[in-house]
Amino acid sequence: MSIDEKTVRKVAKLARLALPEERVAPMAKELNGIMAWIEQLNEVDVEGVEPMTSAVEGLSLPMRDDVVNDGADPERVLKNAPKSEDGFFVVPKVVE
Amino acid sequence: MEKKQFSSVDLTEAFIAAIDKANPHLNAFVVTTPEKARAQAKASDEKRAAGKAGPLEGAPLGIKDLFCTEGVRTTACSGILGEFTPTYESTVSGQLFRDGAVMLGKLNMDEFAMGSSNETSHFGPVVSPWRRGNEDSKLTPGGSSGGSASAVAADLCLGATATDTGGSIRQPAAFTGTVGIKPTYGRCSRWGIVAFASSLDQAGPIAKTVEDSAILLQSMAGHDPKDSTSLTNALPDFRAATKRSIKGMKIGVPEEYRVDGMPAEIEALWQQGIEWAKAAGAEIVPISLKHTKYALPTYYIVAPAEASSNLARYDGMRYGARVAGRDLNSTYENTRASGFGAEVQRRILIGTYVLSAGYYDAYYLRAQKVRQRIAQDFRDAFERVDAILTPATPSAAFALGEKGDDPVAMYLNDIFTVTANLAGLPALALPAAVDANGLPLGLQVIGKALDEESVFAVSAELERAAGFRAKAAKWWV
């Protein structure tokens, strides 16, 4: 499966990465180089193999008690915000 | 310090002076925190005088820039985090300070830990203290924990924190004549460590000796309710394990690690390691890990896929620099395009592609199945052996810029280390010899899940046998 320029534009859009037009063709070439190398995985017989979704076998995700154990600390939460006002993040308009 | 020959303040001042001299040449630290270090050292001296010294009391360390440190800029060496200054401390660095460690500063690394040469850092590459013979060309300390490895090798700290997603502790350790261990997945809490690929990321130390690495890991590891994948198993005494005999242990040697084009000196080093293990009374068992060659391609699906999800949070809204566009989406796109470096963008695109509709089964699901095959190879092997011995890297350190053009050639650096990440196993790299140019070469010991003790026992034995004493000349002084 080769990645064409249309796919590169689509994937960049999905990833929310502005890709200047002159970078589209070189990026397609770079990605194809990497994906061509990855294609060798098709040689492996994976019939009936369970996908490995966790690095540790039999790990159960523990639940914590449903109680408030943190929070009420807006100053710390907003400390690194590029823009904030009155205890809120200020973001660009989302709905017109 | 225990013998009162010097204080932590003395030691800390000596390291601060050494960093001031070396850092303009090595670029190992991206932030230095001399005032914090002096205050911690003073407090440590007082604690020691009061008979309350912790296991790391007064020991000056460097912290990789991937670990959030309260009040000290943390950027994962990416432009997108700007001047991000955490209001909290990562569990691992917090535990080191709990045990008395002193922080000298934040260490350089590949951007978001994506790289094997430290060349993708927003703050420029780290230079290794090592040089080829009498040449003065700049060599890589490896990556992604290049700052950690360079700082430890150049005596700019006693030890350092590092992280390993595909070999980022062990490859730099091997390139710089230092010791690095990636523990079993889940041993160290990932809380407060900037995420790259969550099912592979593990923290561990880079240190000067196997024993030092055991002492540091003891403080870094342990259950943390704030990381749901953190293991609840009790911690064994790692330092005690370094004193254990390996007589009668079975050590596996995988035939698949004899790769095409491997330099003869790596092959010879491996054979030497085998002889040292035999001389210590271990039995060598040939084993097969037949899916080894598929580990790197598997990694380059799983890791970018997880990274593309983890890095979705960098949208310029809550932290970092925002680059405005004509609407919300273009603000996201501009922010991310200007904040992320080329390699990070490449991996985000690969990850997004392999997770996108129509390709998920062909790439991501298949990679998860191949990952299972790789893990099964290890499970089968560990039915017959107690530990596995391999070379740590397929070559000695290369020069900065030498592998710039071909991402796949760069990825191949991690061919011997990446399997332990995919299978979640503990693995340690230690220096064992120097090549014809005088550069360090490392061996790797891989253990069963949760059996860091065998890894430490075998590694300490090899370390004693190797008697590695080479040091990089301090050419910057």
Side-chain angles (χ1 to χ4, degrees), chain B residues 340-359:
Chain B
F340 290 134
E343 179 64 19
V344 172
Q345 294 197 30
R346 191 149 53 210
R347 295 203 201 185
I348 288 174
L349 291 176
I350 291 176
T352 306
Y353 176 68
V354 300
L355 289 175
S356 64
Y359 299 104

Side-chain angles (χ1 to χ4, degrees), chain B residues 265-288:
Chain B
E265 44 200 359
I266 301 276
E267 174 71 46
L269 168 80
W270 195 9
Q271 197 52 48
Q272 181 63 66
I274 291 169
E275 297 306 325
W276 287 329
K278 273 188 196 161
E283 183 192 336
I284 299 298
V285 182
I287 57 167
S288 171

Side-chain angles (χ1 to χ4, degrees), chain A residues 30 39 43 45 76 80 90, chain B residues 85 87 294 322 346 373:
Chain A
E30 287 167 30
E39 292 294 329
E43 298 164 16
D45 177 12
R76 282 175 73 206
N80 284 284
V90 177
Chain B
T85 304
T87 56
Y294 302 109
R322 187 185 296 174
R346 191 149 53 210
R373 286 275 197 216

Side-chain angles (χ1 to χ4, degrees), chain A residues 21-77:
Chain A
E21 199 45 40
E22 71 273 12
R23 280 289 297 142
V24 173
M27 185 61 85
K29 193 166 165 266
E30 287 167 30
L31 297 186
N32 276 317
I34 296 166
M35 295 312 291
W37 170 69
I38 285 173
E39 292 294 329
Q40 57 177 304
L41 291 183
N42 291 327
E43 298 164 16
V44 184
D45 177 12
V46 291
E47 193 59 40
V49 177
E50 275 297 305
M52 184 165 166
T53 53
S54 161
V56 181
E57 282 173 279
L59 189 76
S60 61
L61 291 179
M63 303 284 274
R64 67 165 176 83
D65 294 333
D66 187 15
V67 291
V68 176
N69 59 11
D70 199 0
D73 210 351
E75 256 174 56
R76 282 175 73 206
V77 171

Side-chain angles (χ1 to χ4, degrees), chain B residues 322-341:
Chain B
R322 187 185 296 174
V323 182
R326 61 184 185 281
D327 56 13
L328 183 65
N329 268 333
S330 72
T331 299
Y332 290 151
E333 289 173 354
N334 292 345
T335 296
R336 290 162 62 78
S338 94
F340 290 134

